[in-house]
Amino acid sequence: MNGEPTDGPTDETSLEKGTEKGTEKGTEKDIDTGTETGTDTRTDTGTDTAGHRITAGLTVGSRVVVRYRLAEGAEAAATDFLGELIARNNDFLVVDTKTERVKLIRADVIAAKDVPPPASRPGRAHERISADDLEKLMAKGWQALDRGGLGDWVLRASEGFTGRANSALVVGDPSLPLDKAIDFVERWYSDRGRPAIFQIHGERGFVVDEVPAAAALLARGYAVGGGRDDWQRVLIMTGLSAAVPPLTEDSPPVTADAELKLDWLMAYGQQRPIVPGATEAVLTGSDGQLFLSVRDPQSNRVIALARMSIHPGWAGIFGLWVHPDHRRSGLATTIVSAVAMVARENTMPAIYLQVSADNADGVAFWERLGFGVHHEYTYLTRPSA
Ligand SMILES: CC(C)(COP(=O)(O)OP(=O)(O)OC[C@H]1O[C@@H](n2cnc3c(N)ncnc32)[C@H](O)[C@@H]1OP(=O)(O)O)[C@@H](O)C(=O)NCCC(=O)NCCS
């Protein structure tokens, strides 16, 4: 293995959970930052205090914990804030905690890091995240070229490269009545010359027309899967990095590059059409990713590959593929073992991936590795799209 993750994952246990109370110094409530989902308002201009350096690595849109210095005379020297980082500029961080929106002076930050989404149900690390939170996390692992927001909904367009990067992620509250929200999304896509596609998720086996947004779309003439078999049902499968078998002395060498190399991209193009520009932008668009590959020792050509996305507490696997001439000889297992090794070394206990329910080989592969279905999604689009 060579190469390093581009973004160091974090360990939630080394900082106390936030008090989620306001402080008297340097916090304000009800600040209107005008941010939209998917819009990074990062405007660092190089101010250089310890607090600025500490907060430079935080990801806007992520859940963060921030230890914050309090004014002299306060009851304690510092307090912690836990919540979503919704904006950052040269001087301030804006964090939405469970109870309030706080504006923190960056120079007064003592420690800070991104942390995984909260547990919303019992289970192990890969099971207890909510479907909504996992959807939002996965969207960060496959960032669209062009992104917008409508309340919690995430609008994505990438010149047609993949459904995920060209659909509206229906999650949470769109901040408008449903019909108006759908009108807005249709306009957003038509302004870009693209068909409106909605990604709708639910528990395993969910009935599509029981989801209010889906019912409204079906009433407008949208169709489940838009006529494509692989879009009917997509399974989100999750597993524990600790449960994946380790690499052995007999495993073929795996390369892990932080950069996207041309021969990796060319091999990737054997499984799905590349849209020049858009494909590279999506593949490299997350806060951290690694490109893993195995080469044929004779020809030196890439014969197995995957992309790993890196999140606090989570790894994502995208595009796992083995050349048809080399299947059933353990190469995909080797690649996943390498991903899991990086994940274990970087405090990422949980792994996610997405696989079409009609891909029996793919599903069989993941089940054999002990992965289970976390939830499912489908795409709704007008049949002509
Ligand atoms: C799915 C895929 C990645 C598997 O690659 P692979 O290198 O052949 O997988 P491995 O040799 O590591 O298989 C490990 C085990 O997974 C299961 N498995 C793999 N392919 C399978 C298949 N086609 N049918 C049933 N089980 C399968 C088997 O239990 C296998 O062990 P075995 O060969 O001892 O029976 C490969 O078929 C592929 O590239 N498919 C096209 C792209 C794709 O579907 N990717 C997955 C989507 S996320």
Side-chain angles (χ1 to χ4, degrees):
M1 293 274 302
N2 54 41
E4 291 292 326
T6 51
D7 184 20
T10 52
D11 171 8
E12 193 173 2
T13 56
S14 64
L15 272 181
E16 276 172 43
K17 288 244 166 129
T19 59
E20 295 173 4
K21 276 189 270 159
T23 70
E24 277 150 30
K25 186 195 80 171
T27 69
E28 276 174 32
K29 295 178 193 171
D30 304 325
I31 300 157
D32 182 7
T33 57
T35 55
E36 282 190 331
T37 307
T39 307
D40 189 339
T41 55
R42 183 176 308 200
T43 52
D44 285 346
T45 55
T47 308
D48 196 23
T49 66
H52 283 84
R53 285 194 298 277
I54 289 162
T55 51
L58 296 178
T59 314
V60 173
S62 276
R63 189 161 170 259
V64 296
V65 62
V66 178
R67 176 157 293 169
Y68 191 63
R69 186 177 298 120
L70 295 177
E72 274 180 34
E75 268 176 34
T79 190
D80 292 342
F81 291 96
L82 177 68
E84 185 184 348
L85 177 63
I86 59 159
R88 165 179 46 198
N89 68 15
N90 206 32
D91 300 316
F92 298 104
L93 304 176
V94 181
V95 177
D96 269 355
T97 72
K98 226 185 232 171
T99 53
E100 61 185 343
R101 174 168 292 182
V102 293
K103 186 175 176 188
L104 306 173
I105 299 166
R106 286 182 65 177
D108 285 328
V109 172
I110 300 165
K113 61 184 180 177
D114 290 344
V115 293
S120 73
R121 53 194 182 198
R124 292 168 293 170
H126 64 298
E127 294 163 334
R128 56 187 181 227
I129 188 172
S130 72
D132 276 8
D133 282 342
L134 185 49
E135 283 296 334
K136 287 190 262 180
L137 188 80
M138 292 190 301
K140 290 178 190 154
W142 196 250
Q143 290 274 26
L145 201 54
D146 185 3
R147 301 195 294 276
L150 177 64
D152 296 329
W153 289 14
V154 185
L155 313 184
R156 306 168 291 190
S158 304
E159 297 170 18
F161 174 67
T162 73
R164 276 165 281 175
N166 290 277
S167 54
L169 176 62
V170 173
V171 63
D173 177 7
S175 76
L176 287 176
L178 206 43
D179 270 332
K180 288 208 162 56
I182 294 171
D183 289 344
F184 180 94
V185 174
E186 289 184 333
R187 266 200 313 278
W188 194 88
Y189 281 100
S190 108
D191 287 350
R192 286 157 179 78
R194 308 246 17 125
I197 304 171
F198 291 77
Q199 187 195 316
I200 306 265
H201 64 270
E203 296 303 317
R204 184 165 204 185
F206 75 101
V207 179
V208 177
D209 58 12
E210 286 178 0
V211 179
L217 291 164
L218 292 168
R220 288 183 187 218
Y222 281 64
V224 174
R228 282 179 58 159
D229 290 342
D230 58 338
W231 277 13
Q232 296 283 329
R233 278 288 154 145
V234 178
L235 308 180
I236 289 78
M237 299 183 77
T238 60
L240 290 173
S241 56
V244 175
L247 292 168
T248 68
E249 280 183 1
D250 298 331
S251 302
V254 182
T255 301
D257 280 315
E259 275 173 33
L260 174 60
K261 301 267 171 63
L262 188 60
D263 55 353
W264 191 100
L265 183 63
M266 292 298 114
Y268 179 80
Q270 292 180 57
Q271 64 169 308
R272 65 162 78 233
I274 288 172
V275 179
T279 300
E280 294 92 314
V282 172
L283 288 171
T284 60
S286 299
D287 291 318
Q289 56 258 303
L290 285 179
F291 299 94
L292 297 104
S293 55
V294 173
R295 286 167 189 278
D296 177 19
Q298 266 84 51
S299 66
N300 204 35
R301 288 164 72 162
V302 172
I303 51 170
L305 59 77
R307 170 184 179 272
M308 172 185 184
S309 63
I310 294 163
H311 310 270
W314 281 85
I317 300 184
F318 293 83
L320 177 68
W321 171 86
V322 174
H323 189 284
D325 296 347
H326 299 270
R327 288 183 186 165
R328 301 306 282 269
S329 56
L331 289 184
T333 306
T334 298
I335 293 261
V336 177
S337 295
V339 168
M341 187 186 81
V342 175
R344 287 191 299 270
E345 285 172 353
N346 290 280
T347 329
M348 295 183 276
I351 299 177
Y352 71 76
L353 64 109
Q354 303 170 40
V355 57
S356 172
D358 82 333
N359 179 354
D361 296 358
V363 175
F365 170 79
W366 288 109
E367 282 175 344
R368 146 96 183 238
L369 275 180
F371 282 63
V373 176
H374 185 278
H375 66 277
E376 303 176 353
Y377 68 76
T378 186
Y379 291 108
L380 277 92
T381 187
R382 292 187 193 277
S384 57

